[in-house]
Amino acid sequence: FLAGSALSGAAPSMGFFLVARGIQGVGAGALMTTAFTIVGDLYDMEARARIQGYLSGVWGVAAVVGPLIGGSLVATVGWRWIFYLNIPVGLAAAHFVFHRLRESGYPREGAGLDLVGGTFFSGAVLLLLLGLKLEGAWMAVALVAAAGSAALFLLRERRGPDPMFDPRIFRIRLMNVANACGLLAGAVLLSLSAFLPVYVMNVRGGTAIQSGLMLTPISAGWILAATFGGRLLLRVPLRALVIPGFCLLTVATYFVSRIGPETSWWPIVGTLFVIGVSFGLSFTTLLVAVQERSGVEIRGQATSAVQFFRQIGGALGVAALEVVYLSRLSDPSLLESAPGRILTAAERTELMTGFAAAFLLATAFAAAAAAASVAIPRREHSFHSPGTPT
């Protein structure tokens, strides 16, 4: 992650920058999954429900502070320092982990890493994302290649000695529901981060810092709901948290699709706060429940699968919404965030027409996530431990 950050900051060209960001993404993905898995291993269910809520709170605070710092850096010393700032923070974190984290039982006998399967898997995902960005024959070539790589991955999974995903995790019904919900709701989450800045800067004439502030209500709602959701999971059935959470997301996302260039900021802020609450109630509690049901042997794979489906849903969702958005624009460059750029009334109208169409699609994704959450097994009652009131 630090190597990718340093290379991103020093990038002399867009091609170099994309490769560096890929390196950074590999590190970030490993760190996120490992952190949540370590918590799953260290704590029993009662403590884990609280700790995962606290972790979501830490993430939420970072999500508030990060855009503000990022916007300030872009407006002053330049965008490269967004990446350079990671280096001292990351080195401090690495030093802390090296000296404070104590582990035992590693390496585990018989634990292997399927690099061939991982290559096929990564190739399928990258080719799929690339295909959604291309047009005509090249799109068809990329999508066919993605399907071929996915087929090779599945073949390798069935015959390889160390599959990336233990087949047992997909025999857990709750796991499959969590993955489906993450895929669909992840599309909404990342789309908000991608397209709200366009609304704030291009339509409302805001600054990069104001654009970053727009994500603050989501983070605040997520912190609150995740902190209390983890505790509530010890007392109420999982369905009572997740289903209402995704229903809230559906209603709030529809409201986002209806905002206009003159909409008051307070209803928008309130709606984004509700969206944060919905994610805190659903994502955090689903992760805790999946970790409990998967057991210690496959907890790491189960955690990474939940995180993966949420991230790939976000990437695919942004690509799908972008296609819908661009179909309503006469000039694709209108979709680029441009602080200080003065748009005509007709251009702002085009942007809002595309914005509305894109978030109607996001509303459909949220509704599908709510429908999928109904499949949570009814036997998934409260995850209380002996002595904990129900």
Side-chain angles (χ1 to χ4, degrees):
F1 176 72
L2 291 179
S5 297
L7 292 171
S8 295
S13 66
M14 180 56 70
F16 188 100
F17 178 75
L18 292 175
V19 173
R21 287 284 283 165
I23 295 171
Q24 188 185 30
V26 170
L31 288 172
M32 289 292 291
T33 300
T34 303
F36 283 110
T37 303
I38 288 173
V39 170
D41 286 344
L42 286 177
Y43 299 97
D44 62 19
M45 176 61 207
E46 184 173 357
R48 190 187 312 134
R50 296 195 303 269
I51 297 298
Q52 295 288 23
Y54 298 152
L55 275 184
S56 295
V58 171
W59 174 89
V61 172
V64 172
V65 175
L68 296 177
I69 295 176
S72 300
L73 291 174
V74 170
T76 54
V77 296
W79 64 267
R80 295 180 185 274
W81 285 95
I82 293 176
F83 298 98
Y84 292 148
L85 190 63
N86 288 337
I87 297 173
V89 176
L91 288 175
H95 178 271
F96 184 83
V97 171
F98 181 80
H99 288 283
R100 297 293 182 180
L101 181 62
R102 296 288 180 265
E103 297 180 283
S104 61
Y106 296 96
R108 293 176 179 170
E109 185 178 353
L113 186 63
D114 185 9
L115 295 178
V116 175
T119 300
F120 289 143
F121 181 78
S122 301
V125 173
L126 291 173
L127 288 166
L128 175 61
L129 295 176
L130 178 63
L132 294 175
K133 291 288 187 179
L134 298 176
E135 296 179 356
W138 284 113
M139 173 186 284
V141 169
L143 294 179
V144 169
S149 188
L152 290 172
F153 168 71
L154 293 175
L155 184 63
R156 175 73 181 183
E157 287 288 282
R158 294 183 62 182
R159 299 182 178 181
D162 299 296
M164 280 186 60
F165 295 109
D166 192 306
R168 288 177 291 177
I169 67 175
F170 297 109
R171 297 177 191 145
I172 303 172
R173 183 178 174 183
L174 178 61
M175 179 77 197
N176 295 326
V177 174
N179 289 341
C181 292
L183 184 73
L184 294 161
V188 181
L189 176 60
L190 200 56
S191 296
L192 288 165
S193 301
F195 298 118
L196 274 178
V198 177
Y199 171 76
V200 174
M201 291 189 282
N202 293 18
V203 176
R204 302 294 290 259
T207 65
I209 294 177
Q210 290 171 327
S211 173
L213 281 171
M214 283 300 293
L215 301 176
T216 303
I218 299 177
S219 302
W222 196 318
I223 294 170
L224 182 67
T227 302
F228 285 99
R231 293 176 177 271
L232 287 172
L233 187 59
L234 301 173
R235 293 168 172 79
V236 302
L238 179 63
R239 292 167 58 90
L241 296 173
V242 177
I243 296 175
F246 285 128
C247 289
L248 276 176
L249 179 63
T250 303
V251 175
T253 305
Y254 176 75
F255 182 84
V256 170
S257 75
R258 309 314 299 166
I259 65 176
E262 306 299 330
T263 303
S264 173
W265 287 113
W266 287 112
I268 298 175
V269 168
T271 300
L272 296 178
F273 179 83
V274 170
I275 287 175
V277 169
S278 69
F279 284 129
L281 286 176
S282 52
F283 279 170
T284 302
T285 51
L286 273 175
L287 176 61
V288 173
V290 164
Q291 286 185 329
E292 180 67 12
R293 289 293 179 251
S294 59
V296 65
E297 290 187 4
I298 56 175
R299 184 174 292 144
Q301 292 191 40
T303 302
S304 64
V306 171
Q307 299 277 7
F308 167 76
F309 278 97
R310 187 189 306 177
Q311 294 296 327
I312 195 62
L316 294 175
V318 168
L321 264 67
E322 185 179 19
V323 170
V324 172
Y325 211 143
L326 289 173
S327 70
R328 303 299 197 277
L329 302 180
S330 58
D331 180 6
S333 69
L334 292 175
L335 199 54
E336 300 173 4
S337 300
R341 178 180 178 181
I342 300 176
L343 301 179
T344 66
E347 288 174 329
R348 288 197 298 271
T349 299
E350 274 192 40
L351 277 173
M352 291 314 302
T353 300
F355 186 90
F359 277 95
L360 279 177
L361 177 59
T363 302
F365 287 142
S373 68
V374 176
I376 293 174
R378 293 187 178 276
R379 66 177 179 274
E380 300 291 349
H381 296 297
S382 55
F383 290 74
H384 65 280
S385 57
T388 303
T390 60

